[in-house]
Amino acid sequence: ENQKFATSINFPQSHSSIVRVGVIGSGLRSVPPPPAIADEEVALNKQLLLEAITSCCALPWRNDRPSPTRTPPIAGMKIVALLLVEMISSDVMFNGLPWPDEDFLKVTIERDLHIQAMFVDHPILWDLLRLVASVRPSLCYCSVLLRAVMAVVMTHWRNCQEKAASAANPRLLETTRTVLRTLSLGQLLPPAMNSLGDVLPLLSPFEVSCLLSDVWQYMRNNVPSPALFTHKNPATGELWREFKAPAADHKYMERLRAIMINKVQTCGAVFQKFFNVDS
């Protein structure tokens, strides 16, 4: 059937060049679906993979052989974080730790969409990112991945015209909540922002974009650097970050306070998670 429409020689970049990805009259070629896998098997494989990576990070190698002495997996998890960035990010530029201004997103939008598509096509990446976040400060090295996903969801909610975020795009709303939970798990957000994901389903897309913009401003003004994790548990070797006084982060929560007061009928139940009722 296609030969009837291709009797002449087509030269590249000429007016007669046509790109066809299907059969004329039958539409696009159908892609065979992947074989179905039981949820229990998926969960088991995921657990085995994460445990294997954790074990490899906790066992040091000496003379090309694993040592029986277990060590904190911080150094090994840093390598995992850098490998994730190398495999997921398609660009070698702008992969540093600092978050740029929001106006700079137009420069990296193509790269950000590619990274977001990788997380959509391979959900296991979220589990790997949570594993990295659990071993602080390894998540700092994945800053480019976090801000790429954040940039995509911010752009979507800013241009969404629906009245409720939960009805507009449930899948992207869950992605937004996941990236916020990952930031909190890695202690890249202050304690006051740890529950932001709980309030997002109650807001409109514009209000969600406002909150994400405040999160972006916090990350821009507070570079996610491993040097911030100065406190160490002598028993386990775990590092954690000591945040500033809560009052220092209130300026990033003012819009959330105004939104929740304006929608007190729906947001009143979670208001006390963010603010002191007596204040």
Side-chain angles (χ1 to χ4, degrees), residues 1-234:
E1 184 70 20
N2 286 342
Q3 293 178 356
K4 298 179 182 179
F5 298 89
T7 56
S8 61
I9 299 176
N10 295 329
F11 296 96
Q13 298 182 353
S14 66
H15 295 290
S16 60
S17 297
I18 300 176
V19 178
R20 289 190 286 271
V21 293
V23 178
I24 295 178
S26 301
L28 297 175
R29 293 188 179 95
S30 59
V31 179
I37 304 177
D39 295 339
E40 295 79 6
E41 185 177 356
V42 172
L44 177 60
N45 293 338
K46 187 185 302 183
Q47 180 181 357
L48 292 176
L49 173 63
L50 299 180
E51 290 180 354
I53 294 176
T54 304
S55 299
C56 292
C57 294
L59 286 177
W61 289 75
R62 297 178 182 175
N63 299 326
D64 296 332
R65 293 184 179 181
S67 172
T69 305
R70 298 183 66 88
T71 60
I74 298 176
M77 203 58 67
K78 173 185 175 181
I79 298 176
V80 174
L82 295 175
L83 285 175
L84 283 176
V85 173
E86 182 179 350
M87 291 186 296
I88 299 175
S89 178
S90 60
D91 197 353
V92 296
M93 298 181 63
F94 313 117
N95 282 353
L97 304 184
W99 289 43
D101 293 332
E102 290 187 44
D103 295 337
F104 192 76
L105 298 183
K106 63 184 71 174
V107 178
T108 59
I109 185 62
E110 185 176 358
R111 192 268 311 272
D112 296 340
L113 289 172
H114 169 77
I115 293 176
Q116 166 68 4
M118 289 287 289
F119 279 92
V120 173
D121 296 338
H122 308 283
I124 186 64
L125 294 177
W126 284 116
D127 298 280
L128 293 174
L129 210 57
R130 281 191 289 267
L131 176 64
V132 171
S134 64
V135 182
R136 308 179 187 98
S138 304
L139 189 64
C140 297
Y141 302 101
C142 295
S143 177
V144 60
L145 305 180
L146 296 168
R147 67 172 179 262
V149 178
M150 180 72 76
V152 173
V153 297
M154 282 177 57
T155 303
H156 170 81
W157 296 122
R158 187 179 294 123
N159 296 281
C160 184
Q161 302 298 322
E162 297 290 338
K163 294 183 178 180
S166 57
N169 194 328
R171 181 186 61 82
L172 203 63
L173 178 62
E174 184 59 30
T175 300
T176 307
R177 300 178 67 186
T178 300
V179 69
L180 290 176
R181 286 194 294 262
T182 305
L183 287 168
S184 299
L185 179 61
Q187 280 196 316
L188 300 187
L189 292 180
M193 293 184 175
N194 285 346
S195 301
L196 279 179
D198 298 337
V199 75
L200 295 188
L202 308 175
L203 307 180
S204 66
F206 175 74
E207 292 167 341
V208 172
S209 69
C210 291
L211 297 188
L212 295 182
S213 179
D214 291 336
V215 173
W216 187 281
Q217 291 301 320
Y218 176 85
M219 296 298 298
R220 185 180 68 86
N221 297 333
N222 299 269
V223 179
S225 171
L228 299 175
F229 296 79
T230 56
H231 295 266
K232 183 176 182 180
N233 188 330

